[in-house]
Amino acid sequence: MSSLVASLALQNLGPKVLDWNWISRNFSHEIIPAIIGHIYLSFVSVTIALVISLPTGIIVSRYRKAYPPVTFITGLLFSIPSLAFFALLVTVPGVGLGPRAVIIALVAYSLLVLIRNVVAGMDSVPEETKDAARGMGLTSRQILFKVELPLALPVIVAGIRIATVTIIGIATIGAYISGGGLGELIFTGISRNFPTRIIVGAVLATLLAVLADLSLLAIERYLRPWARTRRT
Amino acid sequence: MDSILKVFQRPDFLAQLVVHIELSVIALLIGITVAMPVALLVYRSRLWSAVAINTGNIGRAVPSLAILALVFPLLGFGFAPSLVALTLLAIPPILINASTGLRQVNPQIIDAARGMGLSNGQVLGHIQLPIAAPVIFAGIRTSAVQVVASATLATFIGGGGLGELIVLGFQRNELAIQLGGSLAVAILAIITEVGFGLLERAFTPKGLLVTSNHRSK
Amino acid sequence: MIEFRGVSKTYPGSLHPVVNDLSFEILDGEICVLVGPSGCGKTTSMRMINRLIEPSEGEILIDGEPNTAMSGTKLRRHIGYAIQQIGLFPHRTIADNIATVPQLLDWDKIRIERRVDELLQLVGLDPAQYRGRYPAELSGGQQQRVGVARAMAADPPIMLMDEPFGAVDPITRNRLQDEFLRIQEEINKTIVFVTHDIDEAIKMGDKLAILKEGGVLAQYDTPEKILAAPNSEFVSSFVGADRVLKRLSLLRVSDMELDSTNGDGDDLPRISERTNLKDALSELIGAGAERGVVVSNGDGARGTLSIETIRRLSHQAEAEQRYE
């Protein structure tokens, strides 16, 4: 869709809109670093969020009473508009402008989806399966690592997918508080009224999100061989 | 704290709040008006609903800043271009949920309804839509929250809204305005989330809420 | 009366018909059971009656009129339709579920309310208790009762039932079948009943239409006749190796000509005249006796029944059987 928009832009505003010269001149020292910065921001955030969410989700799936307050708090965090969240965070002492504030916000945004999917994944393990494992003499630790987590993995990966796509999108806004990444191109493009930067930033951010979506979807399918049997 | 409260008394605060709400409400309404008929058109066909749902999924993956930014070189600066961008953002969640919600209705329930002599319109109106209502409303809720959040970004392409205050605070390095604007946006978003949550519950038929306490295993 | 006249159904893109040249009549007030293995087209045949599926060839007459004389939706409002319990509308109360067709037919409110209560009572659910509940709050058996009540709501002369007792445990199913047969004695509808279970078919049916793969009618007759004289290998194997015993279960002791008691009845087993012949046989064998004394409701002995009599009856029927 965005490529359609881009080509429309080309027709409407003439050849000057997409300045290919600028793109080739700045490819290696501006565009590539922006892509890498964007991937770095997103990857670090999802990883940290996963480290928090996995144990939290497992605990919450056992102590059900803790689940509603956890989803309530993470739900509130999730619904705060990102620009507001960033603006609030940079005023916190010790955080300030820069990637740190962006990463904190991105982690906060991922928690709801990740925890919810960890719990859903744990719930999806049939009671009979756990019972059979117990009956065969597995310890509860072994049941967790050999039965529950492998069976819950596809649902957890589905959560990682949604969180990653969301985060890649929000990370663009992080550039406003000097977080770097592809948003940098968009914002400078807007302030300098230079459409090429906007288009390159927006299109690449979109591509990155769609690519992450599709590849994580492929992983999700790969991890769920029992759902694929129909095809063969 | 006092200085933040003063922000809420600024004349431009109220004006930008109104613009923010206008942008969000209009975008959401147009979004519903576009997405629902499309969902109603495609849900019967497996192929077309897959097309709609996948398009919606890709649409959801597009960063909201990217959509706003791309609208700018095309349509320029201001309220209307922002509205177009926000509408584009509003459509996918509703389209996805409405199509899947309508498709998820158990075919045997539909068969029973047709078998008793309900016309196609009656099956849709009396059976399918009420049963799919919670899922459809969940989509509208997602869409509303996203639109309210993204409307904050409209300021970057001259659309106004509460983002204006946040940006103003940054530019002038006035912490109070920056915080006041952010808090206002956050509260607005949470009200939207909670409000639509209540609406979703109100539109969920009671029979779908009751637990099957009678069905012993 | 429902009349199938050379009805066939072939789905577009398929070479083989699912229903093949079906012709038979279902008489008023009878339960006709369409039974056969999966893929025999029994459900398709039933669904062509209320035009949820249109035949490719032939026609179906209802009381002499082709069922295409009115629109499909209008037709369906005058034919009861019950399927497995899942067909209840989850978002509507039990009362609203039952009231679906009366509401479509614009009955007034009071009449609908009265009808709902009457039907709940008929299927053995206390109206005061169940009217306002939702399907999810009912057990499987209760849901199926509601399904049957809903099909009867507008008092249609014809009812179509597709495995209406399919999704419950055998004990509940048996009870629902008995209840339904009792209800049918009161309401006397023309019923087309689909099942894959031959035992259910024999129990419920006044007539059985046994269909085989490809939607061909293998045999159409009363259960007694089909069990006594299956007309083909297919029917014979479909009704099962125990068909002689199944047939005995359809006959009652009171239907038999009894031998006179010779005053030596004291040490013989006693059989109620209302038991069926299969159970009577079982009792005799179990007691190790050749004969038993048939008693009616407390009135004392009516005569004696011997294993030999039952054997002769079954053997005769067997001898009549001829395959074409």
Side-chain angles (χ1 to χ4, degrees):
Chain A
M1 194 180 82
S2 45
S3 60
L4 178 81
V5 174
S7 63
L8 274 174
L10 271 173
Q11 283 169 4
N12 279 7
L13 302 172
K16 282 209 167 164
V17 170
L18 208 55
D19 183 347
W20 290 98
N21 271 335
W22 180 86
I23 293 176
S24 59
R25 257 185 290 121
N26 296 279
F27 195 73
S28 57
H29 75 266
E30 191 163 2
I31 298 175
I32 292 285
I35 296 175
I36 291 171
H38 208 96
I39 294 174
Y40 165 80
L41 276 179
S42 315
F43 184 77
V44 169
S45 306
V46 176
T47 309
I48 296 174
L50 202 57
V51 170
I52 299 170
S53 304
L54 213 50
T56 312
I58 292 170
I59 291 167
V60 161
S61 75
R62 305 264 148 106
Y63 303 98
R64 242 8 217 257
K65 274 190 183 159
Y67 191 38
V70 166
T71 44
F72 180 74
I73 295 166
T74 52
L76 283 189
L77 288 175
F78 187 74
S79 60
I80 299 173
S82 40
L83 187 63
F85 207 159
F86 291 142
L88 290 171
L89 271 175
V90 293
T91 64
V92 175
V95 182
L97 291 170
R100 192 182 292 176
V102 177
I103 289 173
I104 292 173
L106 296 183
V107 169
Y109 282 130
S110 314
L111 294 177
L112 174 69
V113 176
L114 287 177
I115 292 175
R116 208 161 48 186
N117 278 50
V118 171
V119 173
M122 299 292 284
D123 284 354
S124 72
V125 181
E127 202 54 51
E128 299 84 47
T129 312
K130 284 183 263 182
D131 202 47
R134 223 170 287 133
M136 285 186 283
L138 277 75
T139 63
S140 42
R141 203 189 164 80
Q142 286 168 325
I143 293 174
L144 176 65
F145 285 103
K146 295 196 170 162
V147 179
E148 290 179 287
L149 281 178
L151 282 172
L153 200 57
V155 184
I156 298 174
V157 172
I160 296 176
R161 174 168 73 95
I162 300 168
T164 306
V165 173
T166 312
I167 273 182
I168 290 174
I170 296 173
T172 52
I173 302 158
Y176 190 73
I177 56 164
S178 315
L182 291 162
E184 193 89 39
L185 294 171
I186 298 176
F187 280 115
T188 48
I190 291 174
S191 61
R192 293 183 203 166
N193 204 357
F194 185 49
T196 304
R197 277 176 180 273
I198 301 176
I199 293 166
V200 168
V203 168
L204 285 178
T206 304
L207 278 180
L208 207 57
V210 173
L211 225 64
D213 191 30
L214 294 179
S215 47
L216 282 163
L217 188 67
I219 294 176
E220 200 184 315
R221 295 240 166 98
Y222 173 76
L223 288 172
R224 218 192 293 243
W226 54 89
R228 283 184 315 198
T229 47
R230 251 181 150 192
R231 297 264 168 90
T232 48
Chain B
M1 200 66 214
D2 272 355
S3 51
I4 292 175
L5 285 177
K6 263 186 204 143
V7 174
F8 298 147
Q9 285 152 9
R10 292 165 61 106
D12 59 340
F13 170 77
L14 203 67
Q16 297 301 359
L17 179 66
V18 170
V19 172
H20 200 109
I21 294 172
E22 267 176 10
L23 272 174
S24 310
V25 170
I26 300 174
L28 186 66
L29 286 180
I30 303 178
I32 295 172
T33 332
V34 174
M36 282 308 291
V38 175
L40 289 174
L41 275 177
V42 299
Y43 84 93
R44 272 174 223 274
S45 141
R46 213 184 147 134
L47 174 73
W48 285 110
S49 51
V51 169
I53 290 168
N54 284 321
T55 313
N57 274 325
I58 291 174
R60 287 208 65 179
V62 181
S64 42
L65 183 65
I67 293 190
L68 278 150
L70 285 171
V71 160
F72 168 56
L74 258 179
L75 303 172
F77 230 59
F79 185 88
S82 304
L83 192 58
V84 171
L86 292 175
T87 304
L88 287 175
L89 281 167
I91 293 171
I94 307 173
L95 182 61
I96 294 170
N97 278 41
S99 315
T100 38
L102 286 168
R103 280 184 76 74
Q104 269 167 4
V105 178
N106 190 319
Q108 276 179 288
I109 292 173
I110 296 167
D111 179 64
R114 292 191 56 223
M116 286 193 289
L118 275 77
S119 64
N120 284 339
Q122 285 167 330
V123 173
L124 184 66
H126 296 334
I127 310 295
Q128 287 177 289
L129 279 175
I131 293 177
V135 183
I136 297 175
F137 259 88
I140 295 178
R141 174 192 189 175
T142 310
S143 176
V145 173
Q146 205 187 340
V147 166
V148 168
S150 304
T152 320
L153 308 175
T155 176
F156 295 126
I157 61 165
L162 290 170
E164 208 94 326
L165 290 172
I166 301 175
V167 170
L168 192 72
F170 266 107
Q171 282 165 351
R172 294 205 201 144
N173 211 356
E174 276 190 55
L175 208 60
I177 301 181
Q178 187 181 324
L179 282 176
S182 304
L183 279 176
V185 172
I187 292 166
L188 191 62
I190 289 167
I191 290 174
T192 311
E193 164 86 16
V194 174
F196 273 85
L198 294 175
L199 218 59
E200 192 180 318
R201 192 164 297 182
F203 274 83
T204 304
K206 251 200 246 149
L208 302 181
L209 286 174
V210 294
T211 43
S212 41
N213 54 11
H214 213 99
R215 213 175 277 170
S216 55
K217 222 204 127 184
Chain C
M1 191 173 79
I2 304 168
E3 194 182 347
F4 278 73
R5 273 198 196 160
V7 173
S8 296
K9 176 70 187 178
T10 308
Y11 282 104
S14 164
L15 291 173
H16 306 285
V18 276
V19 173
N20 199 346
D21 195 20
L22 214 55
S23 295
F24 67 104
E25 286 170 9
I26 300 165
L27 299 180
D28 286 343
E30 278 191 351
I31 300 182
C32 168
V33 180
L34 304 178
V35 62
S38 58
C40 71
K42 51 192 189 292
T43 297
T44 308
S45 304
M46 188 198 80
R47 290 163 70 88
M48 286 192 286
I49 297 173
N50 68 352
R51 290 177 59 200
L52 282 171
I53 297 174
E54 303 281 358
S56 333
E57 270 170 68
E59 58 177 354
I60 296 170
L61 308 183
I62 296 175
D63 294 331
E65 290 250 345
N67 67 352
T68 46
M70 57 174 105
S71 78
T73 45
K74 200 171 166 210
L75 173 78
R76 290 195 274 271
R77 286 172 197 180
H78 297 279
I79 297 179
Y81 187 64
I83 58 172
Q84 295 195 5
Q85 111 255 354
I86 204 95
L88 292 184
F89 305 141
H91 62 302
R92 290 193 176 187
T93 61
I94 299 310
D96 282 338
N97 262 286
I98 296 175
T100 306
V101 178
Q103 276 166 1
L104 290 172
L105 295 172
D106 275 330
W107 287 17
D108 68 65
K109 253 195 177 159
I110 296 161
R111 186 175 168 209
I112 292 179
E113 257 172 52
R114 246 192 318 210
R115 181 64 181 156
V116 167
D117 288 359
E118 188 184 309
L119 284 164
L120 281 171
Q121 223 128 38
L122 187 66
V123 297
L125 296 170
D126 176 21
Q129 200 185 340
Y130 289 98
R131 219 189 276 124
R133 295 214 183 164
Y134 289 99
E137 297 174 295
L138 267 55
S139 69
Q142 289 169 331
Q143 292 188 18
Q144 302 213 313
R145 286 194 175 97
V146 175
V148 171
R150 186 172 70 171
M152 295 192 292
D155 207 12
I158 297 171
M159 283 171 59
L160 308 181
M161 307 178 86
D162 189 356
E163 309 235 3
F165 310 131
V168 287
D169 60 274
I171 295 169
T172 312
R173 185 179 316 146
N174 214 349
R175 207 169 56 219
L176 289 171
Q177 289 166 345
D178 290 339
E179 274 174 26
F180 186 71
L181 288 173
R182 173 184 60 75
I183 292 170
Q184 166 66 356
E185 267 173 40
E186 275 178 52
I187 59 176
N188 217 25
K189 304 282 183 199
T190 309
I191 291 163
V192 182
F193 192 107
V194 165
T195 181
H196 65 273
D197 174 0
I198 183 66
D199 292 314
E200 183 172 56
I202 291 168
K203 180 173 179 182
M204 304 300 288
D206 295 311
K207 293 273 177 59
L208 305 189
I210 299 185
L211 295 160
K212 60 181 175 188
E213 230 163 288
V216 176
L217 185 61
Q219 190 166 6
Y220 181 57
D221 215 324
T222 61
E224 292 81 4
K225 291 248 178 74
I226 287 177
L227 288 169
N231 68 357
S232 60
E233 292 276 3
F234 169 78
V235 173
S236 163
S237 82
F238 185 73
V239 296
D242 61 340
R243 67 186 160 80
V244 172
L245 292 177
K246 276 179 182 147
R247 180 167 170 263
L248 289 180
S249 71
L250 293 171
L251 300 171
R252 291 191 186 277
V253 173
S254 54
D255 299 334
M256 300 292 291
E257 267 183 51
L258 301 177
D259 305 325
S260 61
T261 37
N262 296 332
D264 58 348
D266 282 359
D267 52 342
L268 291 180
R270 317 205 134 231
I271 305 161
S272 159
E273 69 171 355
R274 279 187 305 166
T275 36
N276 66 49
L277 280 183
K278 183 183 164 189
D279 292 348
L281 181 67
S282 169
E283 272 174 47
L284 289 175
I285 293 171
E290 277 298 316
R291 296 188 302 146
V293 177
V294 175
V295 291
S296 66
N297 269 3
D299 261 9
R302 304 283 301 258
T304 64
L305 175 70
S306 67
I307 291 182
E308 177 57 25
T309 316
I310 300 173
R311 201 188 61 78
R312 223 180 304 129
L313 173 91
S314 305
H315 185 69
Q316 247 170 25
E318 200 67 353
E320 282 168 19
Q321 171 198 344
R322 286 194 202 354
Y323 295 157
E324 275 138 48

